[in-house]
Every structure is written in C-alpha cells, then in structure tokens.
C-alpha cells in the first residue's frame, strides 16, 4: 500500500464559529508579506488545475475536496492519502483568533474523510474501491479540552497520526505535559511534527525556534513515534541553516535496525528551492527511515528538475515528469528520478496507526 502521509486540508470559510462544518481560513488580520505571495500562488495553481468549477476565481472548500478525490482516484502511484487537520492557536485557555490563520477541525475533517471514503466505495473499478483517505488529526495541547479531544480522535479508526506545526500553533514541544505524550504512546499514535523552516504561515515565520528538531527528544523519550517533516531540510538553502547532519545524528540515536522511533518524511522535497540539497538528503537519510509525503497543495513543479544539471535525471525521465498531470504522481516520479527508493512509498504502514481491518 503506497501512502501519501502529508496532504493538507485547506478551505475558504471565514466564520470561526462554524469550524465543525467548514474550514476556517483568514490570514488577513495576521499577514506576512511572504505568505501573502504564497497564498496567491497556491490559489492560482489550484484554479489552474481547472477545479474552479463555478469560475468565481477562487477555490472553495468543496471544490478543493472534489479535487483531492479526483487526484486520488486517478493516481497511478498512490493508494491512500492522509489528510491533515490543523488545530487553532490557544492563549490563556481560549482560541487566539488573530493568530489562528487556518483551522481545520478534527470533527470537520473526520466527516469529510468518511464521506470521501463512502464515495470511493461506490466506484465500479476495484482498484479505485480499494483506495482510502485517512485522518491526520491535530490536537493542540494548549487547548483546555486537549485530552478529551485526543480521546475522541483515538476512538476514530480513520485517525492514523497527530499533526503539529509547533511554530504556527504556538506549541512548545519540550514543555507539553507527559500525560499527552503517554496517551499517544499507549495508543501507538505517531506524531507528525513540522521541523525546520516554515514559510507557509505568518506565525511559522515569526516563531522559528519552536520548530527546532531537538525539541522532539521529549516525545521520543516518552515512547512516542515521531515523523519529522521534510527531513529538517532548508527551504531556501542560501538563507536557512543546514542542520540535516545533526538531525541525522538524532535519528541514529533513537533508531535501531528493527525499531525505528524517529522517522522523517519526504514532503515538499520536490519544491524547486530544495533542488540544491536533494543529493545531500538522499545521501544522508537511508530509505528505511523515510516515509512518503507530498505536502500538497504546496506546488509540485516538474519543470525545474532539468535533466543532466539536476543530479542524474535523464531527458526521458524529464519528459515523463512534464507529461504527468496528476501532482501526486508527478511528485513520485520526480523523487524516483532523483534516486529516492520506491521502498519509501511502502514504509507508512510501519509507523501509522492503521486499522487492522483489511481492505477488500
Ligand atoms: Zn505540510
């Protein structure tokens, strides 16, 4: 089973009281110049995929989920996608509305995942019927109801991981109370945690120190399996510090041959700005410690991965990448051409809390 463990749920709701039934997205009260540009690029990218069915110039929440469904059904490389929720920012036991730019609640996303899976069940093609969406839940430990929320998530068999972006969600990973981590560990629920530079959220840019991978020691010491996003690699290699060797040392410390506690994902490694560090990533991290992720809708552009100048990509591979319209498939083909092992596509089952029911 080939799983993309890192795909964002996004949407366009602007009413923060409706988070049970809609995505809340409003960065206008908290914008940073970089995210202003990025959000415009994403919107253009998505409308370019022809998903703006009512042609109002923007992608609604509904249109976005229809796009995800189409992409998974038509994918030749991917069988399952983990959709990621994102909990709010909390301050003094209440939601910090200004600092919360994107809020995808577990309740909203659990319902969406169920509905999408029901649709898949109705497909006539067996291969499509066997595909599945999973819930990547998000519980901010600063939420005064965090433990109840966590229990609710754990009782949902579709929930396969907990997702945090510590900078964007104001989470101090090393100061979260032990109980929270003990519950994750007891239920084999892995933590997918952003580490390294974060440019997708204004708060991410402002709170870089919260995304330091060294903070992961606490959950690891309490028995939680952790997936560090993007291999802790720089987004802009000329600006961001390169800490990959140190991160690799931490992986060596926590992993043995038959017990991998600290994983890294390959999400957003197709991003053109990361081209200069791709070889180093492949040479540093063994495939047995990596899980596949796209970071969709972060752009997956094929054209910058030029043959010959880019590691060992051949003109034939380059043409195949350019011809591949489905971004999930394009991402797999880009990584394959760079030399990432296909074994990475199969590793998710070793770390996700997958339901034991077999897919028929
Ligand atoms: Zn991401």
């Amino acid at each position: 089973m080939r799983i993309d463990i890192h795909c964002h749920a996004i949407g366009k709701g602007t009413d923060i009281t409706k988070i049970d039934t809609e995505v809340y997205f409003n960065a206008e009260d908290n914008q940073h110049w970089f995210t202003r540009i990025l959000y415009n690029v994403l919107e253009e990218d998505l409308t370019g995929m022809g998903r703006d069915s009512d042609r109002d110039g923007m992608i609604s929440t509904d249109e976005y989920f229809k796009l995800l469904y189409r992409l998974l059904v038509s994918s030749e490389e991917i069988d399952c996608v983990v959709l990621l929720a994102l909990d709010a920012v909390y301050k003094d036991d209440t939601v910090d509305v200004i600092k919360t730019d994107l809020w995808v609640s577990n309740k909203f996303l659990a319902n969406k995942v169920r509905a999408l899976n029901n649709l898949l069940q109705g497909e006539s093609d067996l291969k499509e019927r066997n595909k599945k969406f999973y819930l990547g839940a998000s519980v901010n430990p600063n939420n005064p109801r965090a433990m109840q929320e966590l229990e609710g998530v754990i009782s949902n068999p579709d929930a396969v991981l907990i997702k945090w972006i510590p900078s964007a969600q104001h989470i101090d990973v090393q100061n979260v109370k032990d109980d929270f981590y003990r519950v994750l560990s007891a239920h084999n629920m892995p933590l997918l945690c952003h580490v390294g530079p974060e440019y997708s959220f204004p708060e991410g840019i402002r709170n870089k120190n919260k995304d330091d991978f060294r903070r992961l020691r606490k959950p690891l010491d309490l028995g939680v399996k952790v997936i560090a996003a993007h291999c802790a690699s720089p987004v802009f290699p000329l600006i961001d510090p390169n800490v990959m060797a140190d991160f690799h040392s931490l992986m060596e410390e926590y992993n043995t041959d038959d017990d991998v506690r600290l994983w890294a994902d390959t999400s957003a490694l197709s991003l053109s700005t990361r081209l200069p560090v791709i070889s180093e990533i492949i040479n540093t991290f063994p495939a047995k410690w990596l899980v596949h992720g796209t970071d969709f809708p972060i752009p997956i552009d094929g054209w910058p991965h030029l043959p010959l100048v880019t590691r060992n990509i051949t003109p034939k591979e380059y043409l195949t990448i350019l011809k591949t319209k489905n971004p999930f498939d394009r991402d797999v083909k880009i990584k394959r051409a760079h030399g990432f092992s296909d074994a990475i596509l199969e590793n998710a089952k070793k770390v996700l809390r997958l339901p034991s029911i077999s897919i028929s």
Side-chain angles (χ1 to χ4, degrees), residues 184-223:
L184 293 185
S185 163
H187 291 90
N188 256 321
M189 188 65 96
L191 178 65
L192 168 58
C193 190
H194 177 90
V195 295
E198 169 57 74
Y199 290 99
S200 303
F201 295 93
E203 288 308 295
I205 298 170
R206 293 176 189 131
N207 300 294
K208 281 182 193 305
N209 62 326
K210 288 194 165 36
D211 291 329
D212 188 329
F213 69 85
R214 293 169 192 87
R215 297 180 169 213
L216 297 174
R217 280 185 184 279
K218 171 139 184 198
L220 286 162
D221 288 339
L222 287 167

mmCIF file of all heavy atoms in Angstrom, residues 184-223:
data_model
loop_
_atom_site.group_PDB
_atom_site.id
_atom_site.type_symbol
_atom_site.label_atom_id
_atom_site.label_comp_id
_atom_site.label_asym_id
_atom_site.label_seq_id
_atom_site.Cartn_x
_atom_site.Cartn_y
_atom_site.Cartn_z
ATOM 1 N N LEU A 184 -0.472 9.223 23.532
ATOM 2 C CA LEU A 184 -0.060 8.924 22.152
ATOM 3 C C LEU A 184 0.697 7.600 22.104
ATOM 4 O O LEU A 184 0.421 6.735 21.259
ATOM 5 C CB LEU A 184 0.851 10.030 21.599
ATOM 6 C CG LEU A 184 0.250 11.416 21.376
ATOM 7 C CD1 LEU A 184 1.272 12.330 20.702
ATOM 8 C CD2 LEU A 184 -1.006 11.338 20.517
ATOM 9 N N SER A 185 1.636 7.453 23.012
ATOM 10 C CA SER A 185 2.472 6.254 23.031
ATOM 11 C C SER A 185 1.627 5.006 23.303
ATOM 12 O O SER A 185 1.766 3.985 22.622
ATOM 13 C CB SER A 185 3.559 6.449 24.084
ATOM 14 O OG SER A 185 4.133 5.234 24.410
ATOM 15 N N ALA A 186 0.712 5.102 24.281
ATOM 16 C CA ALA A 186 -0.107 3.936 24.648
ATOM 17 C C ALA A 186 -0.979 3.476 23.485
ATOM 18 O O ALA A 186 -1.310 2.293 23.373
ATOM 19 C CB ALA A 186 -0.978 4.274 25.855
ATOM 20 N N HIS A 187 -1.385 4.420 22.622
ATOM 21 C CA HIS A 187 -2.270 4.061 21.504
ATOM 22 C C HIS A 187 -1.529 3.964 20.177
ATOM 23 O O HIS A 187 -2.175 3.898 19.124
ATOM 24 C CB HIS A 187 -3.425 5.058 21.395
ATOM 25 C CG HIS A 187 -4.379 4.934 22.541
ATOM 26 N ND1 HIS A 187 -4.240 5.651 23.704
ATOM 27 C CD2 HIS A 187 -5.454 4.144 22.715
ATOM 28 C CE1 HIS A 187 -5.195 5.321 24.539
ATOM 29 N NE2 HIS A 187 -5.951 4.407 23.972
ATOM 30 N N ASN A 188 -0.195 3.964 20.267
ATOM 31 C CA ASN A 188 0.595 3.827 19.040
ATOM 32 C C ASN A 188 0.284 4.895 18.012
ATOM 33 O O ASN A 188 0.297 4.636 16.797
ATOM 34 C CB ASN A 188 0.340 2.467 18.404
ATOM 35 C CG ASN A 188 1.505 1.563 18.653
ATOM 36 O OD1 ASN A 188 2.658 2.015 18.601
ATOM 37 N ND2 ASN A 188 1.212 0.308 18.952
ATOM 38 N N MET A 189 -0.069 6.076 18.499
ATOM 39 C CA MET A 189 -0.438 7.175 17.593
ATOM 40 C C MET A 189 0.811 8.022 17.333
ATOM 41 O O MET A 189 1.323 8.679 18.244
ATOM 42 C CB MET A 189 -1.532 8.014 18.265
ATOM 43 C CG MET A 189 -2.143 9.056 17.384
ATOM 44 S SD MET A 189 -3.052 8.353 16.000
ATOM 45 C CE MET A 189 -4.722 8.366 16.632
ATOM 46 N N PRO A 190 1.325 7.991 16.106
ATOM 47 C CA PRO A 190 2.547 8.761 15.848
ATOM 48 C C PRO A 190 2.273 10.260 15.755
ATOM 49 O O PRO A 190 1.151 10.686 15.478
ATOM 50 C CB PRO A 190 3.024 8.215 14.500
ATOM 51 C CG PRO A 190 1.802 7.715 13.832
ATOM 52 C CD PRO A 190 0.849 7.275 14.915
ATOM 53 N N LEU A 191 3.314 11.031 15.994
ATOM 54 C CA LEU A 191 3.237 12.482 15.899
ATOM 55 C C LEU A 191 3.975 12.916 14.639
ATOM 56 O O LEU A 191 5.175 12.670 14.511
ATOM 57 C CB LEU A 191 3.914 13.088 17.146
ATOM 58 C CG LEU A 191 3.994 14.598 17.246
ATOM 59 C CD1 LEU A 191 2.609 15.210 17.351
ATOM 60 C CD2 LEU A 191 4.841 14.987 18.469
ATOM 61 N N LEU A 192 3.228 13.511 13.708
ATOM 62 C CA LEU A 192 3.861 14.100 12.518
ATOM 63 C C LEU A 192 4.110 15.562 12.848
ATOM 64 O O LEU A 192 3.171 16.347 12.975
ATOM 65 C CB LEU A 192 2.953 13.961 11.291
ATOM 66 C CG LEU A 192 3.331 14.768 10.039
ATOM 67 C CD1 LEU A 192 4.739 14.436 9.549
ATOM 68 C CD2 LEU A 192 2.330 14.533 8.912
ATOM 69 N N CYS A 193 5.366 15.901 13.016
ATOM 70 C CA CYS A 193 5.702 17.235 13.516
ATOM 71 C C CYS A 193 6.549 17.987 12.497
ATOM 72 O O CYS A 193 7.554 17.465 12.010
ATOM 73 C CB CYS A 193 6.469 17.077 14.831
ATOM 74 S SG CYS A 193 6.696 18.635 15.691
ATOM 75 N N HIS A 194 6.103 19.198 12.187
ATOM 76 C CA HIS A 194 6.925 20.021 11.307
ATOM 77 C C HIS A 194 8.226 20.363 12.026
ATOM 78 O O HIS A 194 8.211 20.731 13.188
ATOM 79 C CB HIS A 194 6.190 21.310 10.931
ATOM 80 C CG HIS A 194 7.039 22.191 10.087
ATOM 81 N ND1 HIS A 194 7.039 22.118 8.721
ATOM 82 C CD2 HIS A 194 7.977 23.103 10.426
ATOM 83 C CE1 HIS A 194 7.931 22.973 8.249
ATOM 84 N NE2 HIS A 194 8.518 23.582 9.262
ATOM 85 N N VAL A 195 9.367 20.240 11.345
ATOM 86 C CA VAL A 195 10.635 20.751 11.876
ATOM 87 C C VAL A 195 11.330 21.533 10.764
ATOM 88 O O VAL A 195 11.098 21.301 9.585
ATOM 89 C CB VAL A 195 11.571 19.627 12.387
ATOM 90 C CG1 VAL A 195 10.982 18.919 13.581
ATOM 91 C CG2 VAL A 195 11.916 18.624 11.290
ATOM 92 N N GLY A 196 12.175 22.462 11.182
ATOM 93 C CA GLY A 196 12.904 23.269 10.196
ATOM 94 C C GLY A 196 12.105 24.498 9.796
ATOM 95 O O GLY A 196 11.057 24.793 10.373
ATOM 96 N N PRO A 197 12.613 25.239 8.796
ATOM 97 C CA PRO A 197 11.948 26.491 8.422
ATOM 98 C C PRO A 197 10.510 26.277 7.974
ATOM 99 O O PRO A 197 10.197 25.276 7.334
ATOM 100 C CB PRO A 197 12.803 27.023 7.270
ATOM 101 C CG PRO A 197 13.791 25.967 6.928
ATOM 102 C CD PRO A 197 13.803 24.939 7.999
ATOM 103 N N GLU A 198 9.646 27.193 8.342
ATOM 104 C CA GLU A 198 8.220 27.109 7.992
ATOM 105 C C GLU A 198 7.818 28.440 7.367
ATOM 106 O O GLU A 198 7.817 29.472 8.037
ATOM 107 C CB GLU A 198 7.403 26.836 9.274
ATOM 108 C CG GLU A 198 5.899 26.981 9.121
ATOM 109 C CD GLU A 198 5.342 26.076 8.038
ATOM 110 O OE1 GLU A 198 5.252 24.863 8.264
ATOM 111 O OE2 GLU A 198 5.028 26.595 6.951
ATOM 112 N N TYR A 199 7.495 28.415 6.085
ATOM 113 C CA TYR A 199 7.146 29.659 5.390
ATOM 114 C C TYR A 199 5.677 29.723 4.996
ATOM 115 O O TYR A 199 5.259 30.674 4.355
ATOM 116 C CB TYR A 199 8.015 29.824 4.136
ATOM 117 C CG TYR A 199 9.464 30.114 4.425
ATOM 118 C CD1 TYR A 199 10.425 29.113 4.387
ATOM 119 C CD2 TYR A 199 9.879 31.406 4.748
ATOM 120 C CE1 TYR A 199 11.762 29.380 4.659
ATOM 121 C CE2 TYR A 199 11.212 31.689 5.026
ATOM 122 C CZ TYR A 199 12.148 30.669 4.976
ATOM 123 O OH TYR A 199 13.465 30.946 5.254
ATOM 124 N N SER A 200 4.894 28.709 5.356
ATOM 125 C CA SER A 200 3.509 28.681 4.884
ATOM 126 C C SER A 200 2.547 29.439 5.786
ATOM 127 O O SER A 200 1.408 29.662 5.414
ATOM 128 C CB SER A 200 3.023 27.234 4.768
ATOM 129 O OG SER A 200 3.863 26.516 3.905
ATOM 130 N N PHE A 201 2.991 29.803 6.995
ATOM 131 C CA PHE A 201 2.118 30.514 7.922
ATOM 132 C C PHE A 201 2.860 31.709 8.509
ATOM 133 O O PHE A 201 4.035 31.596 8.850
ATOM 134 C CB PHE A 201 1.697 29.599 9.083
ATOM 135 C CG PHE A 201 0.860 28.439 8.648
ATOM 136 C CD1 PHE A 201 1.459 27.227 8.346
ATOM 137 C CD2 PHE A 201 -0.516 28.564 8.502
ATOM 138 C CE1 PHE A 201 0.698 26.149 7.919
ATOM 139 C CE2 PHE A 201 -1.276 27.490 8.075
ATOM 140 C CZ PHE A 201 -0.674 26.284 7.781
ATOM 141 N N PRO A 202 2.158 32.853 8.630
ATOM 142 C CA PRO A 202 2.804 34.015 9.238
ATOM 143 C C PRO A 202 3.438 33.670 10.595
ATOM 144 O O PRO A 202 4.572 34.054 10.876
ATOM 145 C CB PRO A 202 1.649 35.013 9.409
ATOM 146 C CG PRO A 202 0.645 34.617 8.367
ATOM 147 C CD PRO A 202 0.780 33.130 8.201
ATOM 148 N N GLU A 203 2.706 32.903 11.431
ATOM 149 C CA GLU A 203 3.242 32.559 12.748
ATOM 150 C C GLU A 203 4.446 31.628 12.638
ATOM 151 O O GLU A 203 5.291 31.571 13.532
ATOM 152 C CB GLU A 203 2.156 31.929 13.623
ATOM 153 C CG GLU A 203 1.110 32.920 14.097
ATOM 154 C CD GLU A 203 1.725 34.137 14.768
ATOM 155 O OE1 GLU A 203 2.338 33.992 15.826
ATOM 156 O OE2 GLU A 203 1.602 35.249 14.199
ATOM 157 N N GLY A 204 4.509 30.851 11.560
ATOM 158 C CA GLY A 204 5.648 29.963 11.329
ATOM 159 C C GLY A 204 6.919 30.770 11.113
ATOM 160 O O GLY A 204 7.996 30.423 11.606
ATOM 161 N N ILE A 205 6.779 31.848 10.363
ATOM 162 C CA ILE A 205 7.933 32.695 10.073
ATOM 163 C C ILE A 205 8.381 33.427 11.340
ATOM 164 O O ILE A 205 9.564 33.643 11.564
ATOM 165 C CB ILE A 205 7.571 33.683 8.938
ATOM 166 C CG1 ILE A 205 7.224 32.882 7.659
ATOM 167 C CG2 ILE A 205 8.709 34.660 8.667
ATOM 168 C CD1 ILE A 205 6.624 33.696 6.534
ATOM 169 N N ARG A 206 7.408 33.738 12.212
ATOM 170 C CA ARG A 206 7.730 34.539 13.411
ATOM 171 C C ARG A 206 8.247 33.711 14.587
ATOM 172 O O ARG A 206 8.823 34.268 15.512
ATOM 173 C CB ARG A 206 6.478 35.312 13.855
ATOM 174 C CG ARG A 206 6.058 36.363 12.858
ATOM 175 C CD ARG A 206 4.760 37.058 13.254
ATOM 176 N NE ARG A 206 4.295 37.910 12.163
ATOM 177 C CZ ARG A 206 3.057 37.905 11.683
ATOM 178 N NH1 ARG A 206 2.141 37.115 12.209
ATOM 179 N NH2 ARG A 206 2.733 38.690 10.676
ATOM 180 N N ASN A 207 7.990 32.399 14.573
ATOM 181 C CA ASN A 207 8.351 31.577 15.749
ATOM 182 C C ASN A 207 9.248 30.399 15.374
ATOM 183 O O ASN A 207 9.017 29.271 15.802
ATOM 184 C CB ASN A 207 7.085 31.018 16.425
ATOM 185 C CG ASN A 207 6.155 32.111 16.893
ATOM 186 O OD1 ASN A 207 6.490 32.875 17.786
ATOM 187 N ND2 ASN A 207 5.002 32.205 16.261
ATOM 188 N N LYS A 208 10.270 30.673 14.591
ATOM 189 C CA LYS A 208 11.120 29.605 14.044
ATOM 190 C C LYS A 208 11.673 28.664 15.108
ATOM 191 O O LYS A 208 11.782 27.463 14.890
ATOM 192 C CB LYS A 208 12.309 30.219 13.301
ATOM 193 C CG LYS A 208 11.989 30.713 11.905
ATOM 194 C CD LYS A 208 13.256 31.261 11.246
ATOM 195 C CE LYS A 208 12.967 32.048 9.990
ATOM 196 N NZ LYS A 208 12.202 31.347 8.984
ATOM 197 N N ASN A 209 12.042 29.216 16.282
ATOM 198 C CA ASN A 209 12.701 28.372 17.281
ATOM 199 C C ASN A 209 11.812 27.219 17.763
ATOM 200 O O ASN A 209 12.299 26.189 18.202
ATOM 201 C CB ASN A 209 13.177 29.220 18.468
ATOM 202 C CG ASN A 209 12.012 29.882 19.180
ATOM 203 O OD1 ASN A 209 11.024 30.259 18.535
ATOM 204 N ND2 ASN A 209 12.096 30.008 20.485
ATOM 205 N N LYS A 210 10.485 27.383 17.633
ATOM 206 C CA LYS A 210 9.584 26.318 18.092
ATOM 207 C C LYS A 210 9.680 25.070 17.207
ATOM 208 O O LYS A 210 9.272 23.987 17.598
ATOM 209 C CB LYS A 210 8.138 26.814 18.129
ATOM 210 C CG LYS A 210 7.866 27.790 19.271
ATOM 211 C CD LYS A 210 6.374 27.968 19.468
ATOM 212 C CE LYS A 210 5.957 28.609 20.772
ATOM 213 N NZ LYS A 210 6.765 29.642 21.331
ATOM 214 N N ASP A 211 10.199 25.240 15.981
ATOM 215 C CA ASP A 211 10.279 24.102 15.050
ATOM 216 C C ASP A 211 11.660 23.438 15.056
ATOM 217 O O ASP A 211 12.024 22.740 14.120
ATOM 218 C CB ASP A 211 9.941 24.578 13.625
ATOM 219 C CG ASP A 211 8.483 24.969 13.475
ATOM 220 O OD1 ASP A 211 7.642 24.377 14.167
ATOM 221 O OD2 ASP A 211 8.186 25.873 12.662
ATOM 222 N N ASP A 212 12.410 23.633 16.153
ATOM 223 C CA ASP A 212 13.739 23.020 16.261
ATOM 224 C C ASP A 212 13.580 21.517 16.534
ATOM 225 O O ASP A 212 12.920 21.126 17.499
ATOM 226 C CB ASP A 212 14.493 23.699 17.416
ATOM 227 C CG ASP A 212 15.944 23.263 17.495
ATOM 228 O OD1 ASP A 212 16.229 22.100 17.119
ATOM 229 O OD2 ASP A 212 16.769 24.071 17.932
ATOM 230 N N PHE A 213 14.236 20.687 15.704
ATOM 231 C CA PHE A 213 14.039 19.230 15.836
ATOM 232 C C PHE A 213 14.534 18.691 17.177
ATOM 233 O O PHE A 213 14.109 17.639 17.622
ATOM 234 C CB PHE A 213 14.739 18.492 14.677
ATOM 235 C CG PHE A 213 16.234 18.535 14.731
ATOM 236 C CD1 PHE A 213 16.939 17.623 15.484
ATOM 237 C CD2 PHE A 213 16.935 19.506 14.025
ATOM 238 C CE1 PHE A 213 18.327 17.665 15.553
ATOM 239 C CE2 PHE A 213 18.322 19.562 14.077
ATOM 240 C CZ PHE A 213 19.017 18.646 14.848
ATOM 241 N N ARG A 214 15.429 19.431 17.838
ATOM 242 C CA ARG A 214 15.964 18.935 19.121
ATOM 243 C C ARG A 214 14.866 18.833 20.173
ATOM 244 O O ARG A 214 14.984 18.091 21.143
ATOM 245 C CB ARG A 214 17.085 19.858 19.619
ATOM 246 C CG ARG A 214 18.318 19.817 18.709
ATOM 247 C CD ARG A 214 19.316 20.920 19.040
ATOM 248 N NE ARG A 214 20.330 21.045 17.995
ATOM 249 C CZ ARG A 214 20.188 21.801 16.909
ATOM 250 N NH1 ARG A 214 19.091 22.506 16.714
ATOM 251 N NH2 ARG A 214 21.151 21.854 16.000
ATOM 252 N N ARG A 215 13.796 19.585 19.979
ATOM 253 C CA ARG A 215 12.683 19.544 20.944
ATOM 254 C C ARG A 215 11.929 18.222 20.902
ATOM 255 O O ARG A 215 11.105 17.948 21.766
ATOM 256 C CB ARG A 215 11.720 20.707 20.656
ATOM 257 C CG ARG A 215 12.388 22.048 20.847
ATOM 258 C CD ARG A 215 11.448 23.197 20.578
ATOM 259 N NE ARG A 215 12.068 24.450 21.020
ATOM 260 C CZ ARG A 215 11.402 25.484 21.505
ATOM 261 N NH1 ARG A 215 10.095 25.434 21.610
ATOM 262 N NH2 ARG A 215 12.019 26.570 21.883
ATOM 263 N N LEU A 216 12.196 17.418 19.874
ATOM 264 C CA LEU A 216 11.476 16.140 19.744
ATOM 265 C C LEU A 216 11.952 15.100 20.752
ATOM 266 O O LEU A 216 11.341 14.038 20.888
ATOM 267 C CB LEU A 216 11.644 15.578 18.323
ATOM 268 C CG LEU A 216 11.057 16.444 17.207
ATOM 269 C CD1 LEU A 216 11.418 15.864 15.842
ATOM 270 C CD2 LEU A 216 9.533 16.539 17.345
ATOM 271 N N ARG A 217 13.036 15.397 21.459
ATOM 272 C CA ARG A 217 13.541 14.418 22.424
ATOM 273 C C ARG A 217 12.473 14.044 23.451
ATOM 274 O O ARG A 217 12.373 12.888 23.865
ATOM 275 C CB ARG A 217 14.759 14.974 23.161
ATOM 276 C CG ARG A 217 16.037 14.867 22.378
ATOM 277 C CD ARG A 217 17.215 15.325 23.234
ATOM 278 N NE ARG A 217 18.433 15.326 22.461
ATOM 279 C CZ ARG A 217 19.165 14.239 22.206
ATOM 280 N NH1 ARG A 217 18.801 13.079 22.706
ATOM 281 N NH2 ARG A 217 20.247 14.313 21.482
ATOM 282 N N LYS A 218 11.705 15.013 23.882
ATOM 283 C CA LYS A 218 10.730 14.716 24.942
ATOM 284 C C LYS A 218 9.706 13.673 24.494
ATOM 285 O O LYS A 218 9.553 12.654 25.161
ATOM 286 C CB LYS A 218 10.054 15.995 25.427
ATOM 287 C CG LYS A 218 8.886 15.696 26.367
ATOM 288 C CD LYS A 218 8.800 16.605 27.540
ATOM 289 C CE LYS A 218 7.668 16.160 28.453
ATOM 290 N NZ LYS A 218 7.250 17.185 29.371
ATOM 291 N N PRO A 219 8.970 13.892 23.388
ATOM 292 C CA PRO A 219 8.033 12.822 22.988
ATOM 293 C C PRO A 219 8.745 11.497 22.711
ATOM 294 O O PRO A 219 8.228 10.433 23.067
ATOM 295 C CB PRO A 219 7.363 13.377 21.722
ATOM 296 C CG PRO A 219 8.177 14.553 21.282
ATOM 297 C CD PRO A 219 8.846 15.076 22.512
ATOM 298 N N LEU A 220 9.936 11.549 22.125
ATOM 299 C CA LEU A 220 10.663 10.307 21.840
ATOM 300 C C LEU A 220 11.009 9.582 23.139
ATOM 301 O O LEU A 220 10.825 8.364 23.256
ATOM 302 C CB LEU A 220 11.946 10.617 21.056
ATOM 303 C CG LEU A 220 11.739 10.986 19.580
ATOM 304 C CD1 LEU A 220 12.971 11.680 19.012
ATOM 305 C CD2 LEU A 220 11.391 9.750 18.743
ATOM 306 N N ASP A 221 11.458 10.336 24.143
ATOM 307 C CA ASP A 221 11.830 9.709 25.421
ATOM 308 C C ASP A 221 10.617 9.119 26.126
ATOM 309 O O ASP A 221 10.745 8.213 26.950
ATOM 310 C CB ASP A 221 12.525 10.733 26.332
ATOM 311 C CG ASP A 221 13.935 11.054 25.834
ATOM 312 O OD1 ASP A 221 14.483 10.222 25.073
ATOM 313 O OD2 ASP A 221 14.466 12.124 26.180
ATOM 314 N N LEU A 222 9.437 9.641 25.822
ATOM 315 C CA LEU A 222 8.215 9.100 26.445
ATOM 316 C C LEU A 222 7.558 8.039 25.560
ATOM 317 O O LEU A 222 6.408 7.658 25.770
ATOM 318 C CB LEU A 222 7.240 10.233 26.762
ATOM 319 C CG LEU A 222 7.684 11.105 27.949
ATOM 320 C CD1 LEU A 222 6.876 12.388 28.024
ATOM 321 C CD2 LEU A 222 7.576 10.342 29.271
ATOM 322 N N GLY A 223 8.280 7.569 24.552
ATOM 323 C CA GLY A 223 7.818 6.413 23.790
ATOM 324 C C GLY A 223 6.969 6.716 22.571
ATOM 325 O O GLY A 223 6.388 5.806 21.979
#
